[in-house]
Amino acid sequence: MPDTPALKITDLRFRYPAPREGEAFELSMPSLSLAQGEQMLLAARSGGGKSTLLNLICGLMDPDSGSIEIAGQNIHALRGPARDRFRGRSIGMVFQTFNLLTGFSAAENVMAAMMFSAIPASEHRGRALELLASLGIANPHEEAENLSVGQQQRVAVARAVACDPVIVLADEPTASLDPENAANAVDLLEKACQARNASLLCVSHDPTIASRFTRRESLAIAGAAL
Amino acid sequence: MAMTDWTIVTRSLRTRFFSTATTVVSVAVAVGLMLVLLMLQASGRKAFERGTGNVHLLVSRDASGLVSVLNGMFYAGAPLKPVTYAEYERIAGSLPLEWAVPVQLGDSYKGQWPVLATSPEFFTKFRPAEDATWTFAQGAAFAKDFELVVGAAAARATGLRIGSRVVLTHGAASSRASGVAGHEHGEFQYTVVGVLEPTGTPHDRALFSNLNSSWLIHAVDRLEREHAAGEHDDMDDHEHHDHASVSEKDLIDADRKITNIYLRVATRPGQDASAAVPVVMEHLRRHPEFQAAPLTVAGPVQEIRRLDAIVGNINQLLVIMAAVVMASSGVGIMLALYNSMQQRQRQIAVLRVLGASRGRIFGLIITESAFIGVLGAGVGLGVGMIGAQIATGVLRVRLGISISPETSPLILAYIFLMTLALSVLAGLVPAIMAYRTSVWRNLRPVA
């Protein structure tokens, strides 16, 4: 449904296991909504709970209370393989260090995302090559670790949008880049998401990219990391 | 081609090629060892049974029937006590026998090639195996004293051929039947007159001469002993007892010794078994004439089965050892995968984020482990079959025992499935590790 938000967080609370007695940390976020196709920067300081938030959105961690809906589906209401399937089909993820599969080519990295989707296997290769070509990768059969940092980032973006996800989560996508490349990386992410009408939630503490987003929130404002 | 679970499995194995290859080799060695043992276990027994030829009963004065068969038909050692030729003649003439062939063992060529002295009927009546007859590659059987026929393996190994002249060691070091320690009589030269075709039996390692030749040498030894003891005062030097002076007329009953009698009881035409065999056996065992010095009467086939029952325990032990080697190769698979898990947790975490379930990750690792097992089993079965051929070749050349390794599909399937099960079992611990991999911990940026 077009009016259903891509991401809707309601009364989210997650209590970290205390590393030492007397210390307790809690992530809380009363509400956050991201419309379909909308792009947003969620600023957070280092250690401010952003990775935890992303893991909760992905369904890799369970909240203590509250709910997270992706396109109207409460991800934590799903169990086991159903949740994994849903994550693979609805959520794209871009990591700070790309986390490409070593020993696999650029095309295989993109096809790896499609392995767990509903896309017919016969279409995987064509879609991957087309996607990589559109992102300027001329050598899709080169092993990922042999590509330049910029190319690796493109492959990571291609993998994130390969299954036409509802939302792409980017975790510090510019942390290891210089300002010029950081701007290019954000540009690439924005355009790739726009092209597939995927929402983009970029979590970063990099102030230089803040101006790229029309909607900017702070994790501290949106919720709290205590 | 699309990415599949199989792509991930094979790529992972290829990435760790050295580790994968060494693990596959260790599994293959274990599988090959197991296959060779199981193959030779069954076919070895048949080969031993085959080596007893068409003999129904073997008569000797060895300590037991099994020893008698091992000495008298497989040349395991020299018999301890003799049977006189007179006894042989009485047995051959008084029982319902198809034939009876006298045999004397104890001499050797160069200490390692046994010499069997016998009658010409050995080559006409006795068959070395049910499916083999004596065929001469060169020459013919001995017709005179000091003529020699050489078995195929012995001829190949020693280079003896028609016309070769050799001196035999009389009274092998281990022989007590002859009453003398092993020594050579240079004055008695044998001439090779025949070389046999291979029979695939222990007889291929032997040399054959007539009984008279051996008895003449015995006579010389006896006369020398008597002379040394002063029993022949009229013979004042050794020269009187040399080759030139001793002939058949000098032989006495004490010289005419044999060690075994190969017997075949009369059978109906076209039949191998005879109901008279146990009767003849009992007759020989209980006959009053032989009570003072009892004969050992053995059924060679039954004795070989007894031997198999005895060594069966050792075979089982060997199979258990091979199973232990297989189990240790399973541990090798587990360790190889376990070590790889340390390096692959990030890859597993990425696959989980991309949508792979825990169960699918578990399945990937189990598949990888099973594939190593299947590869190892495939290579091992091939190596085992080649190894069995080599082992049987060595046995044939060295011992003259012809073994046809049996490649029963049941044995192959059994080993294959056992290896597969073992490899799956070995993959369980790494697979559980992979199943429990923490995604968010392993996706943290590396410092």
Side-chain angles (χ1 to χ4, degrees):
Chain A
M1 289 187 292
D3 294 340
T4 308
L7 172 67
K8 185 181 175 190
I9 298 175
T10 308
D11 296 330
L12 183 70
R13 292 173 76 89
F14 178 80
R15 195 175 179 86
Y16 292 91
R20 284 185 291 273
E21 199 175 342
E23 290 181 9
F25 298 87
E26 187 176 83
L27 172 72
S28 71
M29 184 174 275
S31 71
L32 178 73
S33 182
L34 194 63
Q36 287 188 17
E38 191 181 9
Q39 301 188 343
M40 182 181 114
L41 174 74
L42 194 59
R45 62 183 171 80
S46 187
K50 56 185 185 302
S51 294
T52 304
L53 178 63
L54 294 180
N55 282 321
L56 287 165
I57 295 171
C58 282
L60 294 168
M61 287 176 161
D62 287 323
D64 293 321
S65 62
S67 68
I68 297 174
E69 292 179 14
I70 309 290
Q73 171 66 55
N74 181 349
I75 191 167
H76 297 102
L78 299 170
R79 291 287 166 223
R83 188 191 290 186
D84 296 319
R85 259 196 312 277
F86 180 77
R87 178 173 57 249
R89 293 171 184 184
S90 307
I91 302 172
M93 190 89 186
V94 177
F95 304 95
Q96 178 183 331
T97 51
F98 316 138
N99 282 329
L100 298 178
L101 298 170
T102 55
F104 293 85
S105 70
E108 286 170 334
N109 264 278
V110 178
M111 286 192 288
M114 290 187 262
M115 275 177 71
F116 311 103
S117 72
I119 301 166
S122 58
E123 296 176 20
H124 289 188
R125 177 161 288 273
R127 282 177 71 116
L129 294 177
E130 191 182 314
L131 188 54
L132 287 167
S134 73
L135 292 172
I137 298 295
N139 46 350
H141 302 300
E142 185 69 51
E143 284 202 8
E145 58 266 39
N146 295 336
L147 299 173
S148 68
V149 173
Q151 286 176 316
Q152 286 186 25
Q153 184 150 49
R154 287 166 190 271
V155 175
V157 171
R159 186 176 68 184
V161 299
C163 299
D164 294 332
V166 175
I167 186 169
V168 171
L169 306 175
D171 184 7
E172 298 281 7
T174 60
S176 52
L177 303 174
D178 59 58
E180 187 183 340
N181 279 319
N184 290 338
V186 173
D187 194 43
L188 181 73
L189 258 174
E190 286 177 339
K191 284 181 178 166
C193 290
Q194 274 165 10
R196 291 177 184 261
N197 196 33
S199 301
L200 172 63
L201 178 63
C202 182
V203 181
S204 174
H205 70 283
D206 182 359
T208 64
I209 61 167
S211 60
R212 303 284 313 215
F213 291 85
T214 52
R215 186 178 171 194
R216 298 186 292 271
E217 304 257 3
S218 163
L219 188 56
I221 293 167
L226 306 172
Chain B
M1 229 166 63
M3 277 276 283
T4 60
D5 289 13
W6 183 244
T7 315
I8 294 173
V9 166
T10 52
R11 197 63 56 82
S12 168
L13 291 172
R14 203 194 305 168
T15 306
R16 297 176 290 108
F17 180 78
F18 183 74
S19 165
T20 303
T22 50
T23 310
V24 167
V25 166
S26 75
V27 174
V29 167
V31 168
L33 186 64
M34 178 67 89
L35 180 63
V36 168
L37 282 173
L38 291 180
M39 281 168 77
L40 295 188
Q41 196 177 26
S43 48
R45 183 179 64 240
K46 285 190 177 173
F48 266 102
E49 286 180 11
R50 181 177 180 273
T52 59
N54 62 339
V55 168
H56 281 152
L57 294 170
L58 182 67
V59 178
S60 73
R61 282 210 163 88
D62 278 315
S64 71
L66 180 56
V67 172
S68 174
V69 171
L70 291 176
N71 288 343
M73 307 202 82
F74 292 89
Y75 304 95
L80 297 174
K81 295 175 185 170
V83 176
T84 66
Y85 193 73
E87 287 173 322
Y88 156 73
E89 287 180 317
R90 282 200 293 280
I91 290 170
S94 64
L95 292 169
L97 302 176
E98 192 172 318
W99 49 258
V101 174
V103 159
Q104 188 203 64
L105 289 161
D107 294 351
S108 69
Y109 174 55
K110 291 188 173 174
Q112 59 173 319
W113 306 100
V115 175
L116 184 146
T118 183
S119 65
E121 286 74 29
F122 184 84
F123 294 112
T124 56
K125 304 289 188 186
F126 169 64
R127 286 212 306 268
E130 280 299 321
D131 57 351
T133 53
W134 296 110
T135 310
F136 283 85
Q138 300 169 35
F142 47 77
K144 293 185 293 188
D145 294 348
F146 301 104
E147 287 186 344
L148 202 60
V149 169
V150 186
R156 189 168 54 242
T158 60
L160 292 177
R161 55 181 186 272
I162 300 290
S164 296
R165 292 176 69 79
V166 299
V167 173
L168 302 180
T169 304
H170 180 60
S174 59
S175 172
R176 274 171 276 172
S178 60
V180 289
H183 60 282
E184 291 186 351
H185 281 267
E187 68 275 28
F188 293 106
Q189 288 217 329
Y190 285 70
T191 304
V192 176
V193 296
V195 176
L196 292 161
E197 291 280 11
T199 63
T201 68
H203 300 296
D204 289 349
R205 294 173 54 238
L207 287 75
F208 308 88
S209 73
N210 71 357
L211 287 165
N212 217 43
S213 309
S214 180
W215 291 341
L216 288 172
I217 299 174
H218 269 284
V220 170
D221 284 339
R222 175 179 55 80
L223 291 169
E224 281 179 356
R225 283 197 305 274
E226 288 171 358
H227 175 71
E231 291 176 15
H232 279 218
D233 294 338
D234 54 328
M235 293 182 183
D236 54 3
D237 60 46
H238 175 255
E239 294 305 314
H240 285 87
H241 314 304
D242 65 11
H243 183 195
S245 65
V246 176
S247 66
E248 198 167 345
K249 66 179 169 48
D250 295 313
L251 296 178
I252 60 171
D253 281 350
D255 299 322
R256 293 191 177 91
K257 291 173 184 170
I258 58 172
T259 55
N260 303 80
I261 307 169
Y262 288 12
L263 290 184
R264 184 171 173 84
V265 177
T267 58
R268 289 178 180 172
Q271 289 198 355
D272 184 57
S274 169
V277 172
V279 177
V280 172
M281 184 184 267
E282 278 307 298
H283 175 84
L284 290 171
R285 281 178 176 167
R286 298 186 186 282
H287 197 282
E289 184 185 347
F290 305 119
Q291 289 309 300
L295 294 171
T296 299
V297 188
V301 173
Q302 290 74 22
E303 294 301 332
I304 291 303
R305 286 182 185 151
R306 274 187 56 214
L307 173 67
D308 183 60
I310 295 166
V311 299
N313 291 332
I314 297 168
N315 279 339
Q316 279 179 359
L317 189 66
L318 289 172
V319 171
I320 288 169
M321 283 170 69
V324 169
V325 173
M326 279 193 80
S328 71
S329 76
V331 173
I333 296 177
M334 189 188 73
L335 285 176
L337 288 174
Y338 182 87
N339 290 335
S340 80
M341 283 302 119
Q342 309 294 330
Q343 305 151 9
R344 293 168 63 191
Q345 292 200 323
R346 181 172 288 259
Q347 183 197 62
I348 290 164
V350 171
L351 289 172
R352 290 292 319 282
V353 167
L354 293 178
S357 64
R358 287 177 187 273
R360 197 152 170 184
I361 296 292
F362 182 89
L364 280 173
I365 305 302
I366 290 291
T367 306
E368 201 170 311
S369 184
F371 186 53
I372 290 174
V374 167
L375 271 179
V379 174
L381 290 178
V383 166
M385 288 167 101
I386 294 168
Q389 295 296 336
I390 293 170
T392 53
V394 170
L395 282 174
R396 191 183 174 95
V397 170
R398 295 278 172 90
L399 302 177
I401 297 170
S402 181
I403 292 177
S404 302
E406 290 182 355
T407 50
S408 152
L410 199 66
I411 289 180
L412 297 179
Y414 170 71
I415 294 178
F416 183 84
L417 290 176
M418 199 168 69
T419 312
L420 185 63
L422 185 72
S423 57
V424 167
L425 203 65
L428 280 179
V429 170
I432 290 168
M433 273 180 78
Y435 182 91
R436 298 174 64 177
T437 294
S438 163
V439 178
W440 60 274
R441 273 204 190 101
N442 286 290
L443 290 178
R444 285 174 180 164
V446 178

